[in-house]
Amino acid sequence: MKIAFRLSFIKKLLCNVLCVMIISLLSGKTQNNKSLQYTSDSLLRLSNLVQNDLKPEVYIELSDLFLDSDPARSDSFALLAMDWAQYNKNLHDQLKSQFQLGKIKYRQQNFMASKDIFREWIVRFGSANKELRKSTLLMKKHAEANIYLADILGRNSDSLSTAIGYSFSCNEIAKNIQDSFLIARSCYSIGEISRKLFMVERANKYFIKSAEIFENLKLEEYLTKAYYGLALNDRENLEYIYKTLRQYEKLGDSAGMGNFLVSIAYISASVVSFEEAVAYYEKAFEIFRKIKNTRGQAHARFNLAGHYHRNGYLEKALNLNEENVKFCLENNDKLFLAYSLKDLANEHNLLGRRDSAYYYYSILDTVSNKLGNRTPYVRYLCGYARLRWFDGKHKEALKYLDKASQEIEKHGVYYFRRKVASYRSKAYAGLGDYENALKFYKRSIHVRDSFFSRTRMDKLTSQQIRYEAEEILSELEMLEKDQALKKAEIKQKKQFASFLGLGMIMVLLLGLYVVSQYRKTRLAYNSLMEKNLKQLDEKKPRHINGINNGLNEKIFREIQESLKKCIRQKVFLQPDISLKKLAKLMKTNSAYLSKFINLKYAKNFTAFINELRIAEAQKLLNKDEFQNYTVEGIAQEVGFKTKSVFNTAFKKNTGVTPSFYFNYLKEKKTKT
């Protein structure tokens, strides 16, 4: 019996060790499809042998293996990991599994589901116990969840202010865990969202920060992204354009270079000459042609046609779009086929060829309606409505604009809101309905102005302050829910009313006592703070007999005046200040000075200096510019060499710790 038990124990132990070894080996290797399948089969067999507490780890590793090659399979493994974690009642594994699920949805571009998962994850992490919240792995995932949310929300212009809050939150967490990579990623995210908000200086600042860290970490791909952001943000600074191009050459990423040239040509058309922009487009097209990237070729040619169109060369643009239509049909590129058909129809219309315009719109209707990307279909509906409006068919135009509005709201293609409102205004004006025409004209102006609205910019400041409180708020919500559940349970157990009633009364009395004591402490704390902040020279010294105490009145007054002068000059902030050094500055005897401090303030020299420093620390903590300082930072500002000495002195002089004092000020400002 003992031998069988030992064999079973050894078997389980070996399985667990083997599982951990395979997982650790896989984390550092990339595999081909054959070895990937073999490894996954091995891990699946192993998952049947390992103990239940290791099963979530195995399934998460399997989910990671298939993350890029087979997202559906990766999804199923993440759900299995979640089920086992819930079965084991292990919150740590539940959080890891849920995070993996959110990452998979993000990779699948199911951004709505990913957003909901990551938001719930942050709330659950915030309500976890302190031990879990101190886990470096989970803190890292907390930072990553914030950066995922920032990226998802940053795709919609209506949620940019919320997105930048998540970026700042990631930045703060990354600094706490000293993760340079995540600090750089969050800086890049802040820069990218600031660029979309037209905050050029802030965007430049954070792009440069991210570039410096990525360069130190030797992450060339991410460094290229940072330079890309700088080039898009500061269009007139050609240095960043050249740096980005050099980075793409260094990486050997021809496709990336081609896409960058297309973007630069498009956004820099107002800065560089017409011919330079054309040269960028043609260079991008040539790069894509050499590497046989058909999507890139279609993209470059489409944008080049658009450039000619915007500069009045309609025939040239029309010819390029016709070439692109043929090219997209040959290579089955339905997205750019739809884009080119729309521009082709528009150009025929502007050239007075109405029949050709209707012909291309009829083809576009069939092509765009079958695409998963709804932008081409909304473009078709708006363009066709405009064409019908040109022909005086105003009611029919309104019908197509109604369809466009439905698509916009359903699929979040908000960019077209202003265009639809403007076309509606013109259609109603054509019908003689000037009331609705004016209504939709005002709406189009409102949509245009709201994008550049200053109020949104102003919200960023408050958002930046509030983002730190988001986790605390989520924790409070969870606590409130728990409290409500407890009350419900108490109501259901009325048979124990007498016992529970007595217990509740005792708890209530204890709570009231704690609250009253807490309030008294706070009131005492306030008066103590005010008292500490008063000038030291207002404190009344004890009665001194000059002869008996060894100091005559003249010496006493000289030392008193000299000490006041030193206090005004804040000599006590010097970290290396000593009794001997202060006496030398005051041009007096150190023994006299020590005796004076003892007689006047009933303290020794160290206690006296510490009291002055703590008073100064309290003043700094009340200033807005020091709100982001750490306790250690404030300690150094007022002359303390170590945090522990500062904490002890602060508690001794004020009755509370520095962190308690700082939190109290924050709460006070929030209430006001």
Side-chain angles (χ1 to χ4, degrees), residues 320-379:
L320 283 168
N321 275 316
E322 284 180 344
E323 286 179 31
N324 218 28
V325 166
K326 291 176 185 176
F327 182 81
C328 290
L329 284 168
E330 289 170 3
N331 293 282
N332 197 30
D333 190 337
K334 292 179 181 178
L335 180 63
F336 279 99
L337 173 62
Y339 283 146
S340 296
L341 282 168
K342 165 63 178 66
D343 282 7
L344 199 54
N346 189 28
E347 283 146 12
H348 275 294
N349 179 41
L350 292 173
L351 290 166
R353 304 164 190 169
R354 203 61 57 84
D355 291 339
S356 297
Y358 278 116
Y359 169 72
Y360 284 113
Y361 271 124
S362 65
I363 301 172
L364 178 61
D365 182 15
T366 308
V367 174
S368 62
N369 203 11
K370 292 179 181 178
L371 288 172
N373 186 334
R374 304 306 290 171
T375 301
Y377 186 58
V378 175
R379 290 182 87 227

Side-chain angles (χ1 to χ4, degrees), residues 525 621 631 643 646-648 650-651 654 656-664:
Y525 171 74
L621 285 169
V631 171
K643 182 181 173 182
F646 174 66
N647 284 339
T648 305
F650 198 100
K651 182 75 181 287
T654 64
V656 294
T657 62
S659 56
F660 181 85
Y661 181 84
F662 188 66
N663 290 332
Y664 172 81

Side-chain angles (χ1 to χ4, degrees), residues 52 565 576 661:
N52 290 344
K565 185 179 177 182
D576 58 344
Y661 181 84

Side-chain angles (χ1 to χ4, degrees), residues 119-380:
R119 276 182 167 168
E120 186 188 346
W121 191 96
I122 288 173
V123 172
R124 290 186 72 189
F125 177 76
S127 62
N129 57 51
K130 287 184 180 179
E131 187 178 346
L132 273 181
R133 278 183 289 153
K134 287 180 180 178
S135 163
T136 306
L137 175 64
L138 290 181
M139 285 180 75
K140 185 177 179 180
K141 289 192 182 297
H142 187 201
E144 288 177 358
N146 277 282
I147 211 71
Y148 276 122
L149 282 168
D151 181 69
I152 293 165
L153 294 168
R155 294 165 186 268
N156 187 347
S157 60
D158 291 334
S159 56
L160 289 175
S161 56
T162 307
I164 204 168
Y166 282 114
S167 298
F168 275 113
S169 184
C170 173
N171 187 263
E172 190 66 25
I173 298 162
K175 284 178 181 175
N176 288 338
I177 60 176
Q178 297 179 344
D179 191 312
S180 300
F181 174 65
L182 283 173
I183 292 170
R185 273 190 71 187
S186 60
C187 286
Y188 173 79
S189 178
I190 294 166
E192 184 62 20
I193 297 167
S194 299
R195 182 182 71 80
K196 291 177 181 178
L197 288 164
F198 308 105
M199 303 174 76
V200 178
E201 288 183 7
R202 175 185 272 184
N204 264 4
K205 174 185 171 184
Y206 282 98
F207 277 136
I208 290 168
K209 273 186 182 179
S210 67
E212 287 171 353
I213 299 171
F214 287 138
E215 192 170 10
N216 290 336
L217 295 173
K218 297 180 180 178
L219 296 171
E220 299 296 338
E221 189 177 343
Y222 285 98
L223 178 59
T224 307
K225 283 185 179 180
Y227 283 143
Y228 196 136
L230 280 164
L232 293 181
N233 187 57
D234 194 355
R235 304 171 195 179
E236 295 183 12
N237 193 336
L238 297 177
E239 177 193 353
Y240 296 127
I241 294 176
Y242 297 141
K243 277 187 175 182
T244 310
L245 290 172
R246 283 197 295 271
Q247 280 298 122
Y248 278 120
E249 286 176 2
K250 191 174 180 180
L251 291 170
D253 186 357
S254 299
M257 185 186 291
N259 285 321
F260 173 69
L261 286 168
V262 171
S263 298
I264 286 297
Y266 180 76
I267 67 168
S268 301
S270 59
V271 180
V272 300
S273 67
F274 172 81
E275 290 78 12
E276 283 179 294
V278 170
Y280 279 138
Y281 283 125
E282 288 177 344
K283 187 176 180 181
F285 180 81
E286 190 60 27
I287 289 170
F288 287 128
R289 191 186 62 77
K290 282 182 180 178
I291 62 173
K292 297 179 181 179
N293 186 327
T294 55
R295 169 56 66 86
Q297 291 176 64
H299 185 201
R301 191 190 282 114
F302 169 74
N303 278 281
L304 178 57
H307 183 61
Y308 276 112
H309 181 116
R310 287 187 294 274
N311 285 276
Y313 298 97
L314 295 179
E315 286 288 356
K316 181 68 175 174
L318 188 144
N319 292 333
L320 283 168
N321 275 316
E322 284 180 344
E323 286 179 31
N324 218 28
V325 166
K326 291 176 185 176
F327 182 81
C328 290
L329 284 168
E330 289 170 3
N331 293 282
N332 197 30
D333 190 337
K334 292 179 181 178
L335 180 63
F336 279 99
L337 173 62
Y339 283 146
S340 296
L341 282 168
K342 165 63 178 66
D343 282 7
L344 199 54
N346 189 28
E347 283 146 12
H348 275 294
N349 179 41
L350 292 173
L351 290 166
R353 304 164 190 169
R354 203 61 57 84
D355 291 339
S356 297
Y358 278 116
Y359 169 72
Y360 284 113
Y361 271 124
S362 65
I363 301 172
L364 178 61
D365 182 15
T366 308
V367 174
S368 62
N369 203 11
K370 292 179 181 178
L371 288 172
N373 186 334
R374 304 306 290 171
T375 301
Y377 186 58
V378 175
R379 290 182 87 227
Y380 153 71

Side-chain angles (χ1 to χ4, degrees), residues 461-476:
T461 307
S462 59
Q463 181 70 28
Q464 188 173 345
I465 295 168
R466 286 199 304 270
Y467 80 87
E468 293 177 332
E470 286 181 3
E471 292 176 40
I472 299 168
L473 290 172
S474 64
E475 287 179 25
L476 290 172

Side-chain angles (χ1 to χ4, degrees), residues 539-578:
K539 294 185 178 180
K540 293 181 179 179
R542 296 180 299 171
H543 178 71
I544 299 167
N545 187 326
I547 298 169
N548 293 338
N549 292 303
L551 289 175
N552 60 44
E553 286 187 15
K554 184 181 178 183
I555 295 172
F556 185 92
R557 285 173 185 168
E558 284 176 356
I559 293 174
Q560 186 175 32
E561 290 302 317
S562 184
L563 183 59
K564 281 183 182 181
K565 185 179 177 182
C566 287
I567 291 170
R568 283 195 296 270
Q569 292 173 350
K570 298 188 178 181
V571 173
F572 55 87
L573 296 181
Q574 297 176 12
D576 58 344
I577 193 69
S578 63

